[in-house]
Amino acid sequence: MTGPELSGRVAVVTGARRGIGAAIAEVLLDHGATVVTSGRDEEQLALQAEVLGKRGRVIPCAGDLGTAEGRARLLGTAGPVDILVNNAGGFTHASTTLDSTPDDWGRQIEVNLTIPFLLCQAVLPGMVERQWGRIINIGSVVASAPQLGNAIGYVAAKSGLVGFTRQLAAEVAGSGVTANVLNPGTVKTEHLEEYFAASDTVSERTLSAAIPVGRLGRPDEIAALVPYLVSDASGFLTGSVIDINGGAIHA
Ligand SMILES: NC(=O)c1ccc[n+]([C@@H]2O[C@H](COP(=O)([O-])OP(=O)(O)OC[C@H]3O[C@@H](n4cnc5c(N)ncnc54)[C@H](OP(=O)(O)O)[C@@H]3O)[C@@H](O)[C@H]2O)c1
């Protein structure tokens, strides 16, 4: 395996059971990190860990990160965290400014913004004390380029993720801890396939037509950047927002 050597590093990847999170867990294992995989589905997470275990040391930890208990279990299982990838997120159904309910709004903010914030807050003191840490928050292209068919709370949360990550990065700059946002464009994951299945109007073809590269991204294309972002070599890269979207940014 070429590239940054992460042996001895402990990485937590949320939403690691499938999609982009699973691809990130794979590359971190391939580069030698111990990876704590987080998701809500205990059975699926355990099955995945059996497969991922062939690549390196995997510790699955199931729990709802929207609860204090779920977060405490994850952090207790991981012990000192060197690398935190806040990837869990997304939205279950589209909503506009006019039809979003307070509950919809609150759910999007919780999973896409509050949980990442609380996990950052929890791991940061140890990272600062050890003078080394890497935080990657997985945002979305929607933070820079509005797209119809999203959930308004999701867009607000992913935009908020950019602001809080930049601020956090500035607060700890010089301590050996970096924090960056990776904003994927549309990536072909199981979640997206479910969305296509439920939609009469949105399909892979319609979404691909809006992407200059002419196709959806793949999870491994997002994950490929992660080993560099969590390496020693990336210590000067912090507070940045990195877009990977097939050229889809318009603003
Ligand atoms: N796919 C895209 O086109 C795209 C584009 C831009 C940004 N993104 C972002 O990239 C990230 C991954 O996307 P994806 O498509 O790979 O999504 P995904 O397959 O739906 O994975 C997200 C995972 O988050 C976990 N999760 C959700 N709520 C949770 C909670 N309360 N506690 C613990 N885990 C929770 C789920 O785990 P369980 O299933 O185990 O419950 C789920 O598997 C998300 O943040 C998404 O917003 C995706």
Side-chain angles (χ1 to χ4, degrees), residues 43-56 58 60:
E43 200 180 316
Q44 290 297 322
L45 214 53
L47 285 172
Q48 179 201 35
E50 283 178 25
V51 179
L52 286 184
K54 297 186 176 89
R55 305 172 98 112
V58 188

Side-chain angles (χ1 to χ4, degrees), residues 30-54:
D30 290 348
H31 284 267
T34 293
V35 178
V36 183
T37 52
S38 156
R40 287 168 301 186
D41 189 327
E42 187 164 13
E43 200 180 316
Q44 290 297 322
L45 214 53
L47 285 172
Q48 179 201 35
E50 283 178 25
V51 179
L52 286 184
K54 297 186 176 89

Side-chain angles (χ1 to χ4, degrees), residues 17-18 20 40-41 64-65 87 139 154 158 184-185 187 189:
R17 184 175 68 79
R18 62 181 196 173
I20 295 170
R40 287 168 301 186
D41 189 327
D64 184 346
L65 298 177
N87 166 78
Y154 174 76
K158 293 297 193 184
V187 178
T189 60

